[in-house]
C-alpha cells in the first residue's frame, strides 16, 4: 500500500532541540508590593500596541466569567515514575490509570529500582501501585489512549507489533491483562496514529496515515469503536503538507454533543477545501467541512524548517460553543498565532476568523491544553503568560508561569494557580529538571493528569508523569459590578472625603458627606462585589501610582493593599474614569479620545497586557471624568461638571452611540461631576 508515514523524527521536529535547552528561569513568585523596576516609569499610553476593535456585521462575543473548580496545585504523592522519553497519553478504566508514551522504564517510588516497561503500563489510582497483570509488549511509542466500549483499551501510536503479533499503530487491548482483543479489527497500516477521540460508539482517528483498515484515508478516519470497522460515511481527508512536507493530523477533539470535530495539524486542505493547519467538520449528518477558516495559522512563524506546523493541541470547552488552540512556532505574533493560547467560537462562520481572545507567551511553546470545570489548563515550556510585548523576555504585564498554568475561559488571563514545572531541590540523581514539552494534560475522575519529558512538578519529583488532585482544590466564584439599578453614586469632593448621592439609574437624591480616611490619593475607582479597586498615588512605584483594593460595603473604606505586583508597569493615575464588567476593565485616559478596555482577572487581580479600543460614536471621551456601569448604561461625569448616561453594549458596533446620551444632572455648587474618583455601589 502507498504510505505517507511520518516517523518519530518528524514528530520530534515539532519540539526542536534548540527549544529544549533550559531557559533562564523567572523568579518564583511575585507577591503584591514587590516591584519590578523598569528603565524609567512605563507610561500607560506606550506600553503595548493598541488594538482597535473593527466594526462587525455580527455581534462580538463577550464571554462572562463563570464559577469554576480548580484542582490542587500540590501534585499527588502516590503516582509512579517513568524514565527516558515522555508521557503522552492517559486513560482510566475503573480504578486503573493507563499511561502511554515513549518512556522505557518505570518505578514505584523515588528510591525504587527501575524496571524495564516500554511505552505502556497501568497503576491503581487509589494507591499508586503499578499493575503486575497488565503487561502488554509494544515495539514503539504510544501516542494516544481511549477507554473503549465493551471493556477495551484502544491504543494508537508508532508501533508495528504488540505482544509479538503484527498490529500496526492501532490496537485494542484487554485492560486487565494487556492481551490483544482479536475481534477488534482497526489497523493503521499506512502510518502512525497521533490522536484518538471517542463520542458514543464513534472513534475518530488522526495521524500520519494514508490508509486505515486497508481503505484510503488521509490523516483522518472514523471507526466503529466496538469493532474497529471503518465507517465508510466519513471521507474527510487532510492533505498537502506545509512547506513541501507530508501531511498529517496532529490533534483532534469532538464537541460534547458529538456534532463538531476540530482538526489541527500539518495540512493545507480538508476535503479539498483550503484550511491551513486547522478546520472544523460537521458531524450531524454526512461529515462535511464547515464554512469556518482562519488565516492566522498561515504565516510560517519563526522557521518553517523547524516548525513545520505550529497548531499543537485543540480542545472544546464547556458545552462545545467554543474551543481553544495551543501553539508553538517562535516569533511571528501577532500577525500569526505563534506561541499562543487562542479561543475561537464554534458557531462562527466564514473566512478570516479571529480569536475571541489571545494569550501570548512571548516566544515559548504551548504543547497541550485541557478544559475541565470551567478552567483551561495548558502545559509546555513557556515561562510567562500575558506576554505579548516582549520576545524571549518578560515584558510589561508578563505573569510568571513555568511550564504549567490555568486560565479563565472568559479572558484567557491566568488565575491564581501556579504549581510550576520544577522539581526544586527534591530531584533524585539523574532526574531532569526541565524539558521541552508537556505532551498531555488529561482530566481523570480524580484530578488533572500531566505527562511531560522531565521530572519536576510543583517543586517535587514526578518522573515523566503525575496528577493534580481535585481534593484540595478550590472553587472560583466570579465577582462582578453591581447589577442593581438603585443605590448610590460616590464622588470625591476633597481629601479623604466623598459625597454619597442616592441614585435610581435616572435621578439623583440628596447628597451626604462621608469621611473616608483610607481613601487618599485616589484616582479612577470601580466597584466589584464587596470591594473597590482604585488608582492610588504611591511614591516610589515605577509609575508613581498603582491599582489598590479596599473592602467596602457602604461603611468605612478599608485599608488598601496592592492588587498585584504584576501590574506595577501600569500607570493607573492616567485613567480619568473606569468601571469593571464581565472580566474587562473599561476606562478612559488622559489625552486620548476613546473608550478602552483591558482584560482583568479578579482571581489573581491580573491586568491584561493588551489595550483595546471599542468602536463608539458621539461621546468626547477625552472630557470624561469618572465612570460607572449602572443597569446597562455608562454613567459618566465630564470636565464641564455635568453627569450623563448613555446605553452600553460591548457586543455591538458601535458599543456606545452618543446620540442616545441623556443629562442626569448639571454641575452644582459643591457637587461637580468632574473627578475620576466616582463609583456606584448598592450600599
Amino acid at each position: 500500500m502507498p504510505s505517507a508515514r511520518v516517523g518519530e523524527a518528524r514528530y520530534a521536529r515539532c519540539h526542536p532541540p534548540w527549544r529544549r535547552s533550559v531557559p533562564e528561569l523567572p523568579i518564583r513568585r511575585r507577591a503584591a508590593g514587590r516591584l519590578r523596576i523598569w528603565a524609567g516609569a512605563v507610561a500607560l499610553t506606550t506600553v503595548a500596541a493598541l488594538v482597535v476593535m473593527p466594526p462587525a456585521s455580527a455581534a462580538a462575543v463577550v464571554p462572562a466569567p463563570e464559577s469554576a473548580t480548580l484542582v490542587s496545585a500540590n501534585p499527588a504523592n502516590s503516582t509512579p515514575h517513568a524514565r527516558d522519553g515522555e508521557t503522552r497519553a492517559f486513560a482510566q478504566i475503573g480504578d486503573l490509570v493507563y499511561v502511554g508514551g515513549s518512556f522505557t522504564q518505570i518505578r514505584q517510588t523515588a528510591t525504587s529500582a527501575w524496571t524495564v516497561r516500554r511505552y505502556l503500563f497501568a497503576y491503581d489510582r487509589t494507591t499508586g501501585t503499578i499493575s503486575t497483570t497488565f503487561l502488554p509488549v509494544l515495539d514503539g511509542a504510544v501516542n494516544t489512549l481511549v477507554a473503549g466500549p465493551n471493556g477495551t483499551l484502544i491504543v494508537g501510536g508508532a508501533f508495528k507489533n504488540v505482544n509479538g503479533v503484527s498490529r500496526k499503530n492501532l490496537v485494542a487491548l484487554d485492560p486487565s491483562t494487556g492481551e490483544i482483543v482479536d475481534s477488534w479489527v482497526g489497523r493503521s497500516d499506512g502510518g502512525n496514529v497521533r490522536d484518538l477521540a471517542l463520542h458514543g460508539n464513534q472513534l475518530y482517528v488522526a495521524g500520519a496515515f494514508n490508509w486505515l483498515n486497508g481503505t484510503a484515508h488521509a490523516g483522518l478516519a472514523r471507526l466503529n469503536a466496538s469493532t474497529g470497522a471503518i465507517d465508510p460515511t466519513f471521507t474527510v481527508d487532510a492533505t498537502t503538507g506545509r512547506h513541501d512536507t507530508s501531511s498529517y493530523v496532529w490533534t483532534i477533539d469532538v464537541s460534547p454533543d458529538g456534532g463538531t470535530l476540530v482538526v489541527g495539524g500539518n495540512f493545507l486542505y480538508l476535503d479539498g477545501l483550503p484550511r491551513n493547519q486547522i478546520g472544523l467538520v460537521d458531524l450531524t449528518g454526512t461529515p462535511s467541512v464547515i464554512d469556518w477558516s482562519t488565516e492566522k495559522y498561515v504565516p510560517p512563524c519563526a522557521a518553517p524548517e523547524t516548525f513545520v506546523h505550529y497548531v499543537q493541541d485543540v480542545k472544546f470547552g464547556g458545552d462545545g460553543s467554543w474551543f481553544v488552540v495551543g501553539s508553538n512556532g517562535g516569533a511571528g505574533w501577532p500577525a500569526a498565532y505563534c506561541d499562543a493560547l487562542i479561543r475561537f467560537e464554534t458557531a462562527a462562520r466564514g473566512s478570516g476568523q479571529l480569536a475571541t481572545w489571545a494569550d501570548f507567551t512571548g516566544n515559548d511553546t504551548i504543547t497541550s491544553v485541557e478544559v475541565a470545570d470551567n478552567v483551561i489548563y495548558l502545559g509546555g515550556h513557556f515561562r510567562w503568560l500575558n506576554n505579548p510585548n516582549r520576545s524571549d523576555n518578560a515584558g510589561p504585564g508578563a505573569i510568571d508561569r513555568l511550564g504549567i498554568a490555568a486560565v479563565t475561559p472568559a479572558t484567557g488571563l491566568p488565575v491564581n494557580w501556579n504549581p510550576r514545572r520544577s522539581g526544586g531541590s527534591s530531584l533524585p540523581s539523574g532526574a531532569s529538571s526541565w524539558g521541552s514539552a508537556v505532551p498531555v494534560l488529561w482530566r481523570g475522575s480524580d484530578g488533572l493528569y500531566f505527562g511531560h519529558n522531565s521530572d519536576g512538578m510543583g517543586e517535587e519529583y514526578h518522573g515523566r508523569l503525575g496528577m493534580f488532585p481535585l481534593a484540595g482544590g478550590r472553587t472560583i466564584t466570579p465577582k462582578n459590578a453591581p447589577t442593581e439599578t438603585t443605590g448610590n453614586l460616590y464622588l470625591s469632593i476633597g481629601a479623604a472625603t466623598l459625597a454619597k448621592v442616592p441614585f435610581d439609574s435616572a435621578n439623583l437624591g440628596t447628597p451626604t458627606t462621608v469621611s473616608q480616611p483610607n481613601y487618599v490619593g485616589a484616582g479612577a475607582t470601580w466597584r466589584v462585589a464587596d470591594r473597590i479597586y482604585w488608582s492610588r498615588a504611591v511614591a516610589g512605584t515605577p509609575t508613581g501610582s498603582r491599582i489598590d483594593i479596599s473592602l467596602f460595603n457602604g461603611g468605612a473604606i478599608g485599608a488598601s493593599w496592592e492588587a498585584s505586583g504584576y501590574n506595577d508597569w501600569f500607570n493607573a493615575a492616567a485613567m480619568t474614569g473606569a468601571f469593571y464588567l464581565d472580566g474587562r476593565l473599561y476606562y478612559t485616559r488622559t489625552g486620548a479620545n476613546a473608550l478602552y478596555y483591558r482584560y482583568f482577572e479578579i482571581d489573581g487581580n491580573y491586568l491584561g497586557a493588551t489595550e483595546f479600543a471599542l468602536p463608539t460614536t458621539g461621546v468626547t471621551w477625552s472630557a470624561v471624568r469618572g465612570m460607572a456601569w449602572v443597569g446597562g448604561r455608562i454613567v459618566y461625569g465630564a470636565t464641564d461638571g455635568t453627569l450623563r448616561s448613555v446605553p452600553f453594549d460591548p457586543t455591538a458596533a458601535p458599543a456606545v452611540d452618543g446620540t442616545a446620551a441623556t443629562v442626569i444632572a448639571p454641575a452644582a455648587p459643591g457637587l461637580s461631576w468632574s473627578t475620576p474618583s466616582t463609583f456606584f455601589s448598592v450600599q
Side-chain angles (χ1 to χ4, degrees), residues 4-282:
R5 180 183 178 109
V6 176
E8 288 293 296
R10 168 61 52 77
Y11 283 123
R13 291 178 69 185
C14 294
H15 313 296
W18 67 268
R19 303 204 72 184
R20 294 180 180 174
S21 59
V22 178
E24 181 180 350
L25 300 184
I27 60 173
R28 175 176 168 78
R29 289 182 177 86
R30 182 175 308 283
R34 292 185 61 191
L35 303 175
R36 280 173 292 185
I37 304 301
W38 301 90
V42 181
L44 175 70
T45 56
T46 60
V47 166
L50 170 65
V51 177
V52 179
M53 303 303 292
S57 56
V61 175
V62 182
E66 300 180 49
S67 293
T69 301
L70 272 170
V71 295
S72 170
N74 182 21
N77 294 326
S78 60
T79 54
H81 309 276
R83 188 182 194 182
D84 306 322
E86 61 191 19
T87 294
R88 297 177 179 174
F90 295 98
Q92 180 183 332
I93 300 175
D95 281 336
L96 282 183
V97 171
Y98 300 84
V99 185
S102 59
F103 50 80
T104 61
Q105 300 176 67
I106 61 173
R107 66 179 176 184
Q108 191 68 63
T109 70
T111 58
S112 302
W114 289 104
T115 299
V116 174
R117 190 77 61 84
R118 300 180 187 276
Y119 313 129
L120 182 61
F121 74 98
Y123 70 92
D124 188 301
R125 69 175 183 84
T126 63
T127 64
T129 302
I130 296 171
S131 172
T132 58
T133 61
F134 179 78
L135 299 170
V137 178
L138 296 88
D139 63 357
V142 170
N143 293 330
T144 179
L145 296 169
V146 162
N150 306 319
T152 57
L153 177 70
I154 302 173
V155 183
F159 47 84
K160 295 180 180 179
N161 299 285
V162 179
N163 299 337
V165 178
S166 177
R167 286 293 188 274
K168 291 184 178 179
N169 308 305
L170 189 61
V171 68
L173 300 178
D174 183 309
S176 298
T177 65
E179 293 297 319
I180 295 171
V181 178
D182 291 322
S183 61
W184 201 84
V185 298
R187 305 286 187 277
S188 178
D189 295 323
N192 296 351
V193 170
R194 170 61 198 175
D195 204 3
L196 298 170
L198 179 68
H199 187 272
N201 199 42
Q202 295 177 320
L203 179 68
Y204 296 88
V205 185
F209 49 81
N210 273 351
W211 297 85
L212 208 69
N213 289 17
T215 305
H217 287 276
L220 279 174
R222 185 166 71 186
L223 304 182
N224 181 306
S226 297
T227 66
I230 201 79
D231 182 345
T233 67
F234 188 96
T235 59
V236 177
D237 288 335
T239 56
T240 310
R242 288 163 56 88
H243 315 302
D244 298 319
T245 62
S246 298
S247 61
Y248 52 87
V249 175
W250 184 259
T251 176
I252 56 174
D253 195 29
V254 182
S255 60
D257 65 0
T260 308
L261 180 74
V262 58
V263 182
N266 180 36
F267 53 83
L268 298 180
Y269 299 95
L270 276 182
D271 211 19
L273 298 173
R275 296 292 187 272
N276 205 312
Q277 292 198 69
I278 190 166
L280 299 178
V281 179
D282 182 1

Side-chain angles (χ1 to χ4, degrees), residues 204-473:
Y204 296 88
V205 185
F209 49 81
N210 273 351
W211 297 85
L212 208 69
N213 289 17
T215 305
H217 287 276
L220 279 174
R222 185 166 71 186
L223 304 182
N224 181 306
S226 297
T227 66
I230 201 79
D231 182 345
T233 67
F234 188 96
T235 59
V236 177
D237 288 335
T239 56
T240 310
R242 288 163 56 88
H243 315 302
D244 298 319
T245 62
S246 298
S247 61
Y248 52 87
V249 175
W250 184 259
T251 176
I252 56 174
D253 195 29
V254 182
S255 60
D257 65 0
T260 308
L261 180 74
V262 58
V263 182
N266 180 36
F267 53 83
L268 298 180
Y269 299 95
L270 276 182
D271 211 19
L273 298 173
R275 296 292 187 272
N276 205 312
Q277 292 198 69
I278 190 166
L280 299 178
V281 179
D282 182 1
L283 305 174
T284 57
T286 301
S288 60
V289 177
I290 291 173
D291 179 21
W292 181 100
S293 63
T294 177
E295 302 303 304
K296 301 298 278 189
Y297 297 103
V298 174
C301 289
E305 69 279 3
T306 299
F307 300 103
V308 177
H309 73 101
Y310 49 95
V311 170
Q312 291 294 291
D313 205 4
V314 295
K315 197 70 64 177
F316 280 102
D319 59 359
S321 60
W322 53 272
F323 61 96
V324 289
V325 183
S327 66
N328 62 9
W333 76 92
Y337 291 151
C338 313
D339 285 336
L341 182 70
I342 303 296
R343 169 172 166 159
F344 289 110
E345 305 306 310
T346 309
R349 292 294 179 264
S351 60
Q353 293 295 321
L354 299 176
T356 305
W357 49 251
D359 191 337
F360 293 98
T361 66
N363 204 28
D364 282 335
T365 289
I366 297 168
T367 54
S368 57
V369 295
E370 176 64 300
V371 182
D373 311 308
N374 280 332
V375 179
I376 301 169
Y377 298 95
L378 59 154
H381 76 225
F382 50 83
R383 292 161 285 176
W384 308 280
L385 294 180
N386 193 40
N387 192 31
N389 301 311
R390 292 287 190 276
S391 176
D392 216 27
N393 284 287
I399 298 170
D400 294 332
R401 289 295 185 268
L402 187 62
I404 187 84
V407 306
T408 170
T411 66
L413 283 180
V415 295
N416 190 17
W417 186 84
N418 190 21
R420 295 173 58 88
R421 191 177 161 212
S422 169
S425 60
S426 66
L427 293 181
S429 176
S432 171
S433 62
W434 181 252
S436 62
V438 179
V440 59
L441 293 171
W442 177 76
R443 171 68 153 78
S445 65
D446 52 352
L448 179 74
Y449 289 75
F450 59 88
H452 55 158
N453 62 356
S454 56
D455 301 312
M457 187 69 79
E459 307 302 333
E460 300 172 355
Y461 171 55
H462 293 280
R464 274 18 183 209
L465 68 137
M467 187 268 285
F468 295 106
L470 276 171

